[in-house]
Amino acid sequence: MIKSWMVIGGVAFLVALAANVITPSDRQWFKRLQRPRWLTFEGAIPIIWTVIFICGAWSAYIVWEKDPRSTSTWLIMGLYLLLEIVTIAYTPVMFKLRSLKVGTILGGTGFIISALLILAVLSISGWAALLLVPYLLWSPIGTYTTWQMISLNPQDA
């Protein structure tokens, strides 16, 4: 029998694979952009996001296990999925459109969705809500960084 954590992890992994639609020219565009001087931790960003996605999947698992047959649980799972899609879309969409504004909007949208998701799961499980806090804390940092890059690269706004 397939376990719920396998399904949640599998869906999260498949959605994350969508970020791989970046071409070499997309990467070159981003690499040439100026970054804020205080951005000294760029190499750690993939690790940070990996931890955040693991926390999100774990949170979804906790919520699912509470009441898998409930309509509200299915709606909340849809919100988890929407959050991951918006988060994963940040890089390929911003790169394809070559627009830091789009990246900033996607980052802000992810923050709003994560706040709504925390409110939705708080009554179901405090642990599930707590596992979403890393997203809520990190997302504004990434969004602010992208927003700061607009002033450093106005031609790529």
Side-chain angles (χ1 to χ4, degrees):
M1 184 170 127
I2 297 176
K3 303 282 185 186
S4 59
W5 66 267
M6 293 175 179
V7 174
I8 291 168
V11 169
F13 181 74
L14 290 173
V15 172
L17 284 178
N20 291 323
V21 296
I22 302 166
T23 66
S25 67
D26 295 335
R27 289 182 204 281
Q28 286 176 328
W29 169 78
F30 191 72
K31 282 183 182 181
R32 74 164 177 74
L33 297 176
Q34 291 184 358
R35 281 135 172 91
R37 290 180 192 230
W38 50 263
L39 184 61
T40 58
F41 50 86
E42 193 167 9
I45 291 173
I47 296 165
I48 293 166
W49 276 113
T50 299
V51 170
I52 289 170
F53 278 120
I54 290 168
C55 288
W58 189 4
S59 172
Y61 167 75
I62 291 169
V63 170
W64 179 261
E65 288 297 311
K66 291 284 182 178
D67 191 5
R69 290 178 176 78
S70 165
T71 302
S72 63
T73 299
W74 281 93
L75 291 172
I76 291 171
M77 290 300 119
L79 204 52
Y80 277 106
L81 181 60
L82 178 62
L83 178 60
E84 186 178 10
I85 290 169
V86 167
T87 304
I88 291 297
Y90 168 88
T91 300
V93 172
M94 181 176 67
F95 282 25
K96 291 284 180 207
L97 297 177
R98 289 175 167 55
S99 171
L100 294 166
K101 273 186 193 169
V102 168
T104 303
I105 291 166
L106 285 169
T109 302
F111 176 79
I112 292 167
I113 295 169
S114 69
L116 293 172
L117 187 56
I118 287 173
L119 292 174
V121 275
L122 192 55
S123 63
I124 298 168
S125 167
W127 281 111
L130 189 62
L131 284 164
L132 294 170
V133 169
Y135 189 106
L136 198 65
L137 295 174
W138 179 255
S139 176
I141 295 169
T143 302
Y144 178 73
T145 302
T146 308
W147 181 70
Q148 283 287 294
M149 288 176 67
I150 291 172
S151 63
L152 296 172
N153 306 277
Q155 73 283 2
D156 296 294

